[in-house]
Amino acid sequence: MATRSLYFPTISISPVSPISKHHSCSFAKRRETSRNARLGKLNVSIESDRLQSVDKSHGKDYGVVSIHHVGVLCENLERSLAFYKDLLGLEVNLARPNEKLPYRGAWLWVGSEMIHLMELPNPDPLTGRPEHGGRDRHTCIAIRDVSKLKAIFDEAGISYTLSRSGRPAIFARDPDGNALEFTQVD
């Protein structure tokens, strides 16, 4: 295992062994490593094609692995499923315990993670939100081809904005105004 120091962090690199086809995170690794180097206080290790960073100087290494799911509020489950499942092509995870919860919902696969649609009242205002979803709370989904998604949105009449930084990313809102970013990865 090779180890080198960038400013203060320790970077340990072990042989790469891809977890799955869904974990292509070379850009994320470079960005996170750069951010951690600027902060100068985190230990960073790259193992099994994943970047893990934990501030171990305060005993906070409790085993962070990944984001498991993101909860998204919706007013009407069927309308949201038409957007997420039918338009975006996400698959419903039928193994999740919807019948045990006190509200209607659905779990949708996004790679190896999920979006949990929850039919609950939304405390956020639906008007007055920024036009560009990147300036609002948002969920970012890594995709392979922004131009194909742009064509899907154009055909469906879905409003969107492109990344203002010039990188291949597109921002849209679901039927309940939840902001979504779709960023193109290798």
Side-chain angles (χ1 to χ4, degrees):
M1 179 181 321
T3 302
R4 70 183 181 97
S5 185
L6 275 177
Y7 302 104
F8 297 105
T10 301
I11 298 180
S12 302
I13 302 172
S14 60
V16 175
S17 123
I19 303 278
S20 75
K21 64 182 180 181
H22 302 293
H23 285 92
S24 173
C25 52
S26 59
F27 174 76
K29 283 181 192 174
R30 287 192 308 269
R31 185 180 63 224
E32 187 67 15
T33 300
S34 174
R35 181 176 81 68
N36 290 340
R38 286 192 310 272
L39 292 174
K41 65 178 183 179
L42 297 176
N43 290 326
V44 179
S45 66
I46 300 171
E47 299 174 318
S48 302
D49 200 28
R50 289 186 179 214
L51 178 70
Q52 299 173 357
S53 63
V54 177
D55 182 349
K56 294 183 180 183
S57 65
H58 292 95
K60 295 181 183 175
D61 183 7
Y62 51 91
V64 172
V65 175
S66 71
I67 292 178
H68 183 269
H69 70 274
V70 174
V72 175
L73 300 180
C74 65
E75 181 182 20
N76 180 285
L77 183 60
E78 288 71 28
R79 182 179 68 181
S80 293
L81 285 172
F83 178 82
Y84 285 96
K85 182 176 159 273
D86 301 338
L87 181 71
L88 295 179
L90 301 182
E91 294 180 31
V92 174
N93 179 351
L94 299 174
R96 294 304 296 174
N98 289 311
E99 68 283 347
K100 295 181 180 180
L101 300 174
Y103 52 83
R104 297 179 64 219
W107 299 77
L108 300 144
W109 285 111
V110 180
S112 60
E113 289 76 29
M114 293 171 279
I115 289 177
H116 182 196
L117 294 176
M118 300 178 289
E119 192 177 75
L120 292 167
N122 189 346
D124 293 329
L126 298 178
T127 59
R129 307 300 292 229
E131 177 189 358
H132 182 63
R135 297 184 57 99
D136 199 356
R137 287 180 298 277
H138 62 277
T139 299
C140 182
I141 299 172
I143 63 172
R144 299 274 182 228
D145 192 339
V146 165
S147 63
K148 284 185 181 178
L149 182 58
K150 184 178 178 296
I152 291 169
F153 283 164
D154 286 340
E155 185 177 322
I158 302 291
S159 304
Y160 60 83
T161 56
L162 299 176
S163 172
R164 296 193 174 161
S165 69
R167 65 191 169 79
I170 188 169
F171 293 80
R173 291 188 181 273
D174 73 4
D176 293 282
N178 296 302
L180 300 167
E181 174 183 356
F182 300 88
T183 190
Q184 187 169 306
V185 296
D186 303 343

